[in-house]
Amino acid sequence: MKYLSFHILILLLFGGNNQQAFAERDTLTVGIYHNPPFVIKTEDNDFEGLSIELWENIAQSANLTYRYELYSDFVGILKRLEYQDIDLTINPMDVNDSRVNKFDMTQPYFISSIGVAIPYLNRSPLAVFISNIFSLAFLEIILLLIFVIFVFGFFLWLIERRHNKFQFRPGLLGLFDGLWWSAVTMTTVGYGDKAPKSNIGKAIAIIWMFTAVIIISSFTASIASTLTITGLQTDIKNAEDIRLAENISVVGATNSESYLVQENIPISKTYASPILALRALAKKENDVLLYDRTILQYYINRLSLDEKVKLLPFTLKENYQSFMLPKNHPAFDLINVGLMKEIQKEHWVDLQRKYDVKGK
């Protein structure tokens, strides 16, 4: 707080010339796009939201005149800022190295983070476990395991039936003897009731022993994954848990998409808007959705999805967000100081409560 007050004092002292020069400037053009709960376009084509009210308080205190210019998304705003066709944007823009080099970014006024949402599971863990046991994926693993056991058992019986006909009987019963030996060997039970006597049979047994160690480890992991993958949706606590989900969705061209790419986590579905993504999640078309936590919470409440979608209590990758202006804009100091004053007021806390907004 002391550092922030000192920063404001410095800007007031050294930014005076810029503020005075800007007093005679024309109306500011403020680029915005619909981005609840920060910027909300109402049915009567007016605007409200956390950033709107924050900006209007700053403009009123600094006696600034302005007009809003609506864009479809932040990409259009970035282009207009780069060409200096607009004076600033009040939508929360993530602070990063490339933007700081190209634009003037104010003191951050909000800290966002990536939220993780999952569909509510209306089944008990026991029901999830049982449904997975009888699932097609689990059945495929079991059938493949039986097939491998059968192949090695068949070859051993084929060799041993002439040399060891008491343990590996001829006909169908002997085939079962080979299957029994293969299963017992793979599981390392070692009853010793059946064992190869021929050299070729012993060679097959050695190969099967080493192969079985690898196979049983892989199959055990696959079975465990199949049995628990749905249950893990309720136990996601970090990025490593997210990797275990099969269908991960994001909203395109966002920090959540960049985060998953950076972490080498595959994305199953990309949506054009958070509304579409949340509705798909509510229908259980995806297992996990990553997007800005504040906006996710807003839409979950607004669309009455709180009984269908669960926002998990942890977050990923915090981002500081600011207003953004073209480089060396003459109004930067005036706006920046005004913003820092506003976010220190008790009214700023009230505004966040009004729009049910919590940072991080």
Side-chain angles (χ1 to χ4, degrees):
M1 185 64 71
K2 291 182 179 179
Y3 172 76
L4 188 60
S5 302
F6 177 74
H7 194 181
I8 293 174
L9 180 61
I10 293 297
L11 287 175
L12 286 172
L13 292 175
F14 292 95
N17 293 335
N18 282 341
Q19 295 174 25
Q20 184 175 1
F22 188 75
E24 300 177 358
R25 186 177 172 85
D26 293 337
T27 301
L28 287 170
T29 300
V30 181
I32 56 174
Y33 69 96
H34 183 70
N35 182 33
F38 299 97
V39 176
I40 306 169
K41 184 181 179 181
T42 62
E43 294 180 355
D44 55 355
N45 291 324
D46 200 0
F47 300 102
E48 61 182 26
L50 184 66
S51 294
I52 292 290
E53 292 202 36
L54 173 61
W55 162 249
E56 291 180 354
N57 289 338
I58 294 170
Q60 183 178 6
S61 298
N63 198 25
L64 296 172
T65 57
Y66 61 91
R67 67 181 182 87
Y68 292 127
E69 191 167 300
L70 184 64
Y71 292 85
S72 60
D73 53 38
F74 73 93
V75 176
I77 288 180
L78 289 177
K79 290 180 179 178
R80 298 283 76 79
L81 281 172
E82 193 168 359
Y83 296 146
Q84 299 188 11
D85 293 335
I86 60 176
D87 292 288
L88 78 154
T89 180
I90 59 173
N91 282 89
M93 292 291 183
D94 293 333
V95 178
N96 56 46
D97 293 343
S98 61
R99 288 180 179 176
V100 169
N101 290 331
K102 293 176 66 174
F103 305 102
D104 280 339
M105 305 202 73
T106 64
Q107 167 76 23
Y109 69 97
F110 198 77
I111 302 176
S112 72
S113 57
I114 299 174
V116 182
I118 62 172
Y120 260 119
L121 297 175
N122 298 321
R123 298 177 296 171
S124 67
L126 178 60
V128 173
F129 182 80
I130 293 174
S131 66
N132 277 305
I133 286 181
F134 293 100
S135 67
L136 181 60
F138 183 76
L139 180 61
E140 288 175 350
I141 292 174
I142 296 300
L143 290 176
L144 183 58
L145 183 59
I146 292 173
F147 174 75
V148 175
I149 292 173
F150 176 81
V151 168
F152 276 89
F154 171 75
F155 279 112
L156 188 77
W157 168 76
L158 203 61
I159 299 299
E160 291 295 312
R161 62 179 178 163
R162 296 177 182 176
H163 306 282
N164 192 4
K165 60 179 62 176
F166 293 103
Q167 292 185 13
F168 296 92
R169 295 165 288 180
L172 187 60
L173 291 176
L175 194 58
F176 176 78
D177 292 335
L179 182 63
W180 171 257
W181 170 86
S182 182
V184 169
T185 302
M186 185 189 68
T187 56
T188 67
V189 174
Y191 289 122
D193 56 336
K194 298 187 185 299
K197 292 184 177 180
S198 67
N199 292 332
I200 297 178
K202 291 177 181 178
I204 292 175
I206 292 173
I207 295 172
W208 175 231
M209 289 173 191
F210 286 102
T211 304
V213 172
I214 299 173
I215 291 177
I216 197 63
S217 299
S218 301
F219 279 20
T220 300
S222 298
I223 291 171
S225 176
T226 302
L227 290 175
T228 60
I229 188 65
T230 306
L232 278 171
Q233 292 184 9
T234 58
D235 295 324
I236 295 176
K237 297 179 180 179
N238 51 47
E240 294 305 314
D241 292 336
I242 294 174
R243 294 178 190 275
L244 299 176
E246 288 186 339
N247 300 310
I248 303 174
S249 59
V250 294
V251 178
T254 60
N255 283 326
S256 53
E257 184 179 38
S258 301
Y259 173 81
L260 290 175
V261 172
Q262 183 179 356
E263 295 293 325
N264 294 317
I265 300 175
I267 299 171
S268 301
K269 181 71 174 179
T270 301
Y271 293 90
S273 73
I275 294 178
L276 295 175
L278 278 170
R279 284 176 175 166
L281 191 69
K283 295 177 182 177
K284 297 182 174 63
E285 295 176 7
N286 299 295
D287 298 323
V288 180
L289 169 63
L290 269 66
Y291 190 58
D292 183 279
R293 180 180 176 81
T294 301
I295 300 176
L296 280 178
Q297 186 65 72
Y298 174 84
Y299 278 121
I300 288 172
N301 295 337
R302 187 69 177 268
L303 301 174
S304 301
L305 295 176
D306 50 305
E307 294 183 358
K308 296 182 178 180
V309 174
K310 179 181 180 181
L311 190 58
L312 298 181
F314 74 96
T315 59
L316 306 167
K317 192 179 179 181
E318 294 180 356
N319 297 290
Y320 290 86
Q321 297 180 318
S322 305
F323 291 170
M324 198 155 66
L325 298 82
K327 203 70 174 176
N328 300 319
H329 195 284
F332 174 76
D333 288 342
L334 184 63
I335 294 172
N336 193 28
V337 171
L339 184 147
M340 287 190 286
K341 288 181 177 179
E342 286 296 323
I343 62 177
Q344 291 183 86
K345 294 179 180 178
E346 185 65 28
H347 181 61
W348 173 241
V349 178
D350 296 334
L351 275 180
Q352 292 179 80
R353 290 199 193 102
K354 177 181 177 180
Y355 291 100
D356 195 22
V357 169
K358 295 179 182 179
K360 298 186 184 181

